[in-house]
Amino acid sequence: MSYEYDQASLPDLLPLYYRRLFPFSQYFRWLNYGGVTKNYFQNREFSFTLKDDIYVRYQCFNNQSELEKELQKMNPYKIDIGAVYSHRPSQHNTVKSGTFQALEKELVFDIDMTDYDDVRNCCSAAEICSKCWTLMTIAIRILDRALKEDFGFKHRLWVYSGRRGVHCWVCDEAARKLSQSARAAVAEYLSAVKGGEEAIKKVQLSDPIHPFIKESLKVLEHYFEDYALVNQDILGSKESIDKVLALLPEDILFKGSPLDLLQNDFLKVKTAAQRWEYLKKRVHQMQGSLKKAVYGDWDIMFQYCYPRLDTNVSKGVNHLLKSPFSVHPKTGRVSVPIDLKLLDEFDPFAVPTISLICQELDKALEGDEEANDKENEGELEQKRRVRDYKKTSLAKYMKVFEQFVEKMEQSWKGELLKKSDQQKDF
Amino acid sequence: MQFSGRRQKIVRLTGDRQADLYPHSLQFYGQPPTENISLSEFETFAVDRLKLLKTVENLGVSYVKTSDQYATKLEGEFRKLHFPYRVETDEKSLDTEYDKRRKDHISHFILRLAYCQTEDLRRWFIQQEMDLFRYRFHILTKEPAHDFLKFNNLHYESISDEEKNTLKEELIHSSYGFSGPKVEEHDFYKVPFQDALDLVRGRKVYLREGLAYIPHQEIVAIVLNDFRTRLSKALAITARSLPEVQSDERLQPLLNHLSHAYVGQDYSIQKNIGKISLEQIDPFSTKSYPLCMRQLHKALRENHHLRHGGRMQYGLFLKGIGLTLEQALQFWRSEFIKGKVDADKFDKTYAYSIRHSFGKEGKRTDYTPYSCMKIILSNPPSQGDHHGCPFRHSDPELLKQKLQSYKIHTNGISQVLDLVKGMHYHLACQKYFELTHSVDDCGFSLNHPNQYFVESQRILNGGREIKTEVTQNETPQQIPTNPAPKSATAPEENAAKTKGATKDAGCK
C-alpha cells in the first residue's frame, strides 16, 4: 500500500524529511558540544551520498543554519559524520601538506549482522529477523556495560543502522580525544572472537578469567538458552551439533568416548536444554583430568553470541560513520537512537521508514490545517518542526536523542562558565 | 645538588655547573641543551653515545635483560664511556656525576639529529634508548624512583588497602600470576587507562571507571610507554627542522656518517708504522690478507694497475697495516710503471692522490681504512673494478672457483657459500679465516679488514691461545667484543678519537 517504501520515491520524500522532520536543533546542539572548543563544529567533516551514488567528502558548515540550507538543497541519500580537523575541511587542499589533520572524533563502534553469518541458522547476509536480532541486544548489553563501568564513559548513543546492525557513538570529551592506538586498544579489550574464514575455533578462554569476561558471561548466560538453544536450535540437528562439537578441544571429545558415540548420546537426550546440560557436564567431568583449565562450554557460548566488532571502524580518528537520523536508502528506515531502558523490546522492523513518517506528517497537516492555520503563521521553523515530528512515529526516538543531548549539555555548562571566567569573556 | 646527610656541610658544584639541572641519573630528555659546546666535544659525545647504544643493542641480543651478566657488562660500558647510571652519593664525585649527566643529555639530543631521518633509524634509536632507560629506571630503588616520577609530573596514585580489599577478587583475576597473598603484599596504582594501553589491549589489567589498576612491577611498562611516546613525537618534530641543521657545514659530515658509523677501532693510528717491509707484502697477501685485499693485490700484480676504488680500498688498508708514505709511493710506482704508466705521469697524478690519502695534501684529512660495513654497503664495483667484498659482490660460482684455486677443501667452500647465500658476509669471511688458518674458531667478530690482518698475524706469530668462548654477536656493525690486547700491532682507540683526524669517523 502507500506505506510501502520504494527507493525510487526518495527524491520526493527527502525534501520533506529535511525540511520538516530532521532534528537540526538537537543535532547541532550535539555536534557543537556547547561551543566550548572554538571551531569545533566548523571544522567537522561531513560527507554526503547523493542520488546516483555520487559521493562528496569534506563538507563543512559554519552554523546550524548553513547545515540546514545545504541539506535542504542537496537532499543527500546518506549522511556520514567524520572527524573534527585542524582546519575547515573544505580547505584541505589549500592547507600546507601534512598540516591538515584529524584531531578529534567520537569513539565509535559498528556491529554488523553479517559478521555472525557462520553462527546464524536463520538468516544470512543482509537479512535479519527477530530470532537473530537478539545478537544485537546481547552486543549492546555487553559493550555498553563495559564502556560505562570499565572505561567510565558517560555519554553513549546507540543507534540502529537502518538495516542489519547497530552503531555506538561515545561522545565523552576523553573519548573524542583518544589517539588511534588508544582506540585500537579499547576495541581489542572488547574483542573476544578472533579469526576469519579459515578459523574454526574462534574463542579460546583460559585462566585467569578476566573480570570483563566474567561480566560478559553473565549477559550471555541470560540470553543463551532462548537465543541459541531454542531459536537458533544449535543442538537440534546432527549437522549443527557437529558444528558445536567441533569447537571443543579433542581431549574432551575423545577421551574415553569417540566422537560418534558422543553424538549418539546427544540424540538420545531429548530437549536442547538437556543436551546443553549434558555437554556442560561432560566438559566439567573431563576438566578434572586435564592440566590446563579449559572452558569448552564458555567458548561455545562466546563463539555463538559474543559481540563481533569491526576494529577498523573504531580505530581510525578520521573514519566516517553513518549519521544518526540518516535514512538507509535500501530499507528506507531512519537510523534512530535505541532506548536502552527498553532494549529487549526494541524491534528493528517497527522502526519507521521515511515513507511512513512522511505519510503520517501529511495526514497530520491535513487535519491541522483548518484548525491551526493562524497559529502556524509566524511560528518559528524550529518549533514547527518539533510539533511536526511529534505527530509521527519518530516521536519516541526523538525523545531518546533529546535526553541524550540534554545530559551532555549539563556537563558542558560548567565547562563554558569556567572557560569564559578564565578568559574574562563576558 | 645533593645534601649529604653524613657530614653537616653543604656540597656545591664547581665552575659553570648549574645546580638542579640534573637531579637524577636518568631523564626524559624533555628540554634540549642550551649551552655552547665545541665541535670536538659535539663529535666525541655523539660517537660515545653511539657506542653505548650499540652495546645496549648487542647485549640485548646476547643476554637476558634481567640477568647479572647483562648488568655487569652494561655497567662496565657506562663507566668506560663516562655515562651516568646510578645515583652516586659520594660528594667527591658530584662534579664528575654532573658532567656525566650533562654528556648524557647533550649526546642524546645530538643523536636525535642523526636518527630522526627515516623510519628505520627512528625505530632503532627509540628501541635502544628505551632499553637504556629501562635499565636505569629498573636499578632505581623505590624512593629515588618515586622522586624521579614526581619530578617529571608522572603521578601514579597508589590505592588504599581498603580499596584493595574491595577489589581483591578482580585484581587476582586480572593480573597473571597474582594470588591473594601476592595482591595483599604488592602496591597497586590507579592510572588513566590511556597511559596503560599495552595492558588494556591484552586485557591484562583490571579497569574501572576509566582507571587501570596496575601492580607496581608493571609501572615500568607504563613509564616506558610514556617515554616512547614522547621520544617518537620529538623525533618527528626534529625531522622537520633537520634541513636547517644539515645546512651547517660543520655538522653535516658528522651527522651523515653517524647513522652509518662503524664505531670500532678505525686503524688510523698504527703503532707498527715502518715495521713492515715491501718484500713482506706478497707473502702477507696470501697468508694474512682478507679475501678482498688478496683479490686487489693479485689484480694489481697482474694488471699493474688498479682503478680508483681499488686504489682507495687497498691503499688505505696498506696504510693501516703499517706502510709509510714513502713505502706506499714506492710500492705503487714500481707496480704502475710495469704497466702503461710512465714514471713522469705517475709522479704527477697518482703520487698526488697517495699523498692526499695520507693527509699530506689538500685539506690534510688523514683518511682511515675502510671498515667491512663501508666496503659492503658503499661504492659497489662495476666492470673493471676489483674492489668491494668478494662475498658480497662476486658471483658465487666465481667465488667458488677462486676458493678452490686457493686450495680450500670442498666442505669448507660449501660452508662459506651457505653463509654467502644467507647474506652473512662477515661470517663468510670469518669462515675463510678459519679455513686458511686451520682453526676451528677465529675467536673474534670480524668487521674490519685490518682487524683480519692483525688477528692473522697474531696467530701466525704465536703468542695467543685460540679463544674457547664463542662470540655470539653475528650482526654487522659489531663492536669487537675483545678489545685489542696491548701488543705492538694494535692501535689505540682513544688516541684515534682525540686526533681529530677521525672527523669522518672512519667512513667517507
Side-chain angles (χ1 to χ4, degrees), chain A residues 35-100:
Chain A
V36 175
T37 308
K38 219 171 155 206
N39 288 325
Y40 209 70
F41 184 78
Q42 291 75 6
N43 289 347
R44 168 83 68 170
E45 180 192 359
F46 294 87
S47 72
F48 297 156
T49 307
L50 308 172
K51 194 160 175 248
D52 299 323
D53 280 328
I54 299 175
Y55 183 64
V56 289
R57 271 192 72 176
Y58 300 111
Q59 305 299 296
C60 55
F61 312 100
N62 279 322
N63 49 44
Q64 178 181 330
S65 169
E66 270 191 32
L67 172 69
E68 280 188 41
K69 292 206 178 76
E70 193 66 15
L71 285 185
Q72 284 156 8
K73 187 170 112 195
M74 308 290 275
N75 292 306
Y77 276 32
K78 185 170 172 258
I79 306 171
D80 288 334
I81 301 177
V84 175
Y85 283 84
S86 51
H87 304 77
R88 294 269 194 293
S90 52
Q91 296 171 347
H92 70 280
N93 281 327
T94 60
V95 169
K96 195 167 111 178
S97 146
T99 52
F100 180 73

Side-chain angles (χ1 to χ4, degrees), chain A residues 48-205:
Chain A
F48 297 156
T49 307
L50 308 172
K51 194 160 175 248
D52 299 323
D53 280 328
I54 299 175
Y55 183 64
V56 289
R57 271 192 72 176
Y58 300 111
Q59 305 299 296
C60 55
F61 312 100
N62 279 322
N63 49 44
Q64 178 181 330
S65 169
E66 270 191 32
L67 172 69
E68 280 188 41
K69 292 206 178 76
E70 193 66 15
L71 285 185
Q72 284 156 8
K73 187 170 112 195
M74 308 290 275
N75 292 306
Y77 276 32
K78 185 170 172 258
I79 306 171
D80 288 334
I81 301 177
V84 175
Y85 283 84
S86 51
H87 304 77
R88 294 269 194 293
S90 52
Q91 296 171 347
H92 70 280
N93 281 327
T94 60
V95 169
K96 195 167 111 178
S97 146
T99 52
F100 180 73
Q101 290 185 357
L103 298 178
E104 296 189 15
K105 191 177 70 70
E106 294 73 13
L107 172 63
V108 294
F109 297 93
D110 181 351
I111 320 283
D112 190 327
M113 199 69 90
T114 50
D115 290 338
Y116 295 80
D117 280 355
D118 58 319
V119 289
R120 279 197 291 170
N121 272 341
C122 50
C123 315
S124 68
E127 304 164 333
I128 58 167
C129 69
S130 54
K131 283 191 192 162
C132 51
W133 184 257
T134 315
L135 287 170
M136 294 295 115
T137 309
I138 294 173
I140 295 176
R141 285 226 185 275
I142 289 179
L143 296 176
D144 195 68
R145 184 213 65 81
L147 290 169
K148 176 176 171 198
E149 291 174 10
D150 295 8
F151 288 98
F153 292 130
K154 299 188 165 43
H155 306 290
R156 313 166 308 277
L157 183 71
W158 286 91
V159 181
Y160 172 52
S161 74
R163 190 156 68 147
R164 59 186 192 219
V166 295
H167 300 155
C168 180
W169 294 79
V170 185
C171 303
D172 296 53
E173 187 181 348
R176 286 180 273 131
K177 290 179 148 66
L178 289 176
S179 66
Q180 178 164 315
S181 57
R183 288 165 205 255
V186 174
E188 191 68 35
Y189 176 92
L190 298 171
S191 301
V193 179
K194 306 214 163 112
E197 291 297 309
E198 310 302 309
I200 293 180
K201 189 166 169 64
K202 298 186 169 135
V203 185
Q204 185 98 46
L205 296 174

Side-chain angles (χ1 to χ4, degrees), chain B residues 302-341:
Chain B
E302 280 172 14
N303 307 321
H304 311 298
H305 188 266
L306 273 184
R307 297 173 94 216
H308 181 260
R311 290 200 304 272
M312 290 308 290
Q313 183 173 324
Y314 188 30
L316 291 174
F317 171 77
L318 286 173
K319 184 169 77 151
I321 67 174
L323 244 56
T324 62
L325 174 59
E326 288 65 39
Q327 285 175 309
L329 284 168
Q330 193 184 338
F331 172 73
W332 290 100
R333 194 172 191 267
S334 63
E335 199 54 53
F336 271 49
I337 53 182
K338 286 183 202 158
K340 299 184 192 144
V341 178

Side-chain angles (χ1 to χ4, degrees), chain A residues 233-252:
Chain A
D233 202 19
I234 63 174
L235 294 176
S237 67
K238 183 171 187 299
E239 198 190 326
S240 46
I241 291 174
D242 277 346
K243 270 178 78 181
V244 173
L245 293 182
L247 302 181
L248 291 176
E250 290 183 355
D251 323 44
I252 300 236

Side-chain angles (χ1 to χ4, degrees), chain A residues 149-151 188-189 191 208 210, chain B residues 176 200-201 203 205 209-210:
Chain A
E149 291 174 10
D150 295 8
F151 288 98
E188 191 68 35
Y189 176 92
S191 301
H210 191 275
Chain B
Y176 191 80
V200 169
R201 195 192 320 270
R203 225 164 26 226
V205 67
E209 290 297 322

Side-chain angles (χ1 to χ4, degrees), chain A residues 242 245-263 282 286 289-290:
Chain A
D242 277 346
L245 293 182
L247 302 181
L248 291 176
E250 290 183 355
D251 323 44
I252 300 236
L253 286 179
F254 298 127
K255 211 155 176 153
S257 169
L259 188 54
D260 282 335
L261 218 67
L262 184 67
Q263 289 182 316
R282 271 206 86 88
M286 289 306 161
S289 55
L290 295 169

